Every structure is written in C-alpha cells, then in structure tokens.
Amino acid sequence: MAIKKIFAVVDEVKRHVENLSVDDLKAELGAPNLLLADIREIQERVDLGTIPGSKHAPRGMLEFWADPQSPYYRDWFEEDKRIVLFCAGGGRSALAAKALMDMGFANVAHLEPGFTGWQQAGETIEDVSATSRWVRRRA
C-alpha cells in the first residue's frame, strides 16, 4: 500500500469541515460561546505570537484535553461551545477539527489560512513572549 500524500489527505478533510476565512473568524470573535484554540506548538506561540483571546491546546494533546473523561481534560472544552481551531497554515487545524467532530463535537471549524493568513492580513497579534514562562534561547 502506498503512503498517502499528506496534503491530499488535508484537502480531502477540508471538504468535510467548516473552513473559515480571516473575515469569517473576525465576525465570530467576542461571541460568548466561542472557544478559539491555537493548536500550534508552544514555541510557535512564543516566537510568533497568537490571535488575541485564543487558548493554547497543542495538537498532540487536543483530544485528551477535550475529553471530559480524560485526566487531562480542560474545562473550556464544552460540548455546546463553538470551537474554532487554528495552526500555522490550516493543515493541522483541519485534521484537528475532523478529530473533534469524530469525538462528537458538533460546532467545530478551523481558520483555513491559519495564523499565517491572519498575520498576512495585518490583524492584531498578541505577544505571547512577554507573558510566557517559555523562552527560546538563541544559539
């Protein structure tokens, strides 16, 4: 069996999840029932910043943090919330949105152009490095 090309897999998943543009996300920001989750690695957040108001839910822990029966559960994952995920470019977040949908979350979407698209659109970036206990040491 041949290995499937990941970007073909991502493209297929994107046909089955809700893909938001930067403008779509901006229209939803501030809604009381919104969980905006940054699924990038912590170092990406520290180095580049994040979308204001987002919670960090690293991709590697997402399903464990979202499951109320898991010892790793984070109580900001609620079944009735609108969950919007983002990563750097929209690939990981599309796969993560599908994973949450497979778990039973009904109102899930992702930022299709990712944080990079948000940044390129000139939108506000929260400086995470100013408040994070994590730092990058330059060699």
Side-chain angles (χ1 to χ4, degrees), residues 63-134:
E63 293 88 343
F64 297 97
W65 285 15
D67 178 0
Q69 302 303 310
S70 167
Y72 303 104
Y73 176 66
R74 299 296 192 263
D75 64 2
W76 19 275
F77 281 97
E78 298 173 27
E79 191 174 343
D80 63 339
K81 281 206 171 182
R82 165 69 162 168
I83 301 173
V84 176
L85 308 167
F86 69 92
C87 63
R92 289 175 287 177
S93 59
L95 297 171
K98 171 114 175 35
L100 289 182
M101 291 167 60
D102 289 348
M103 287 178 71
F105 289 91
N107 196 358
V108 180
H110 85 110
L111 180 60
E112 200 280 328
F115 179 76
T116 301
W118 180 267
Q119 197 173 34
Q120 289 173 345
E123 298 300 333
T124 303
I125 306 290
E126 178 184 337
D127 180 5
V128 176
S129 68
T131 57
S132 176
R133 65 183 176 149
W134 300 98

Side-chain angles (χ1 to χ4, degrees), residues 42-63:
I42 186 67
Q43 206 59 58
E44 292 174 277
R45 277 178 64 95
V46 171
D47 288 350
L48 302 172
T50 194
I51 299 173
S54 66
K55 296 270 193 187
H56 185 228
R59 179 65 190 101
M61 290 300 293
L62 182 67
E63 293 88 343

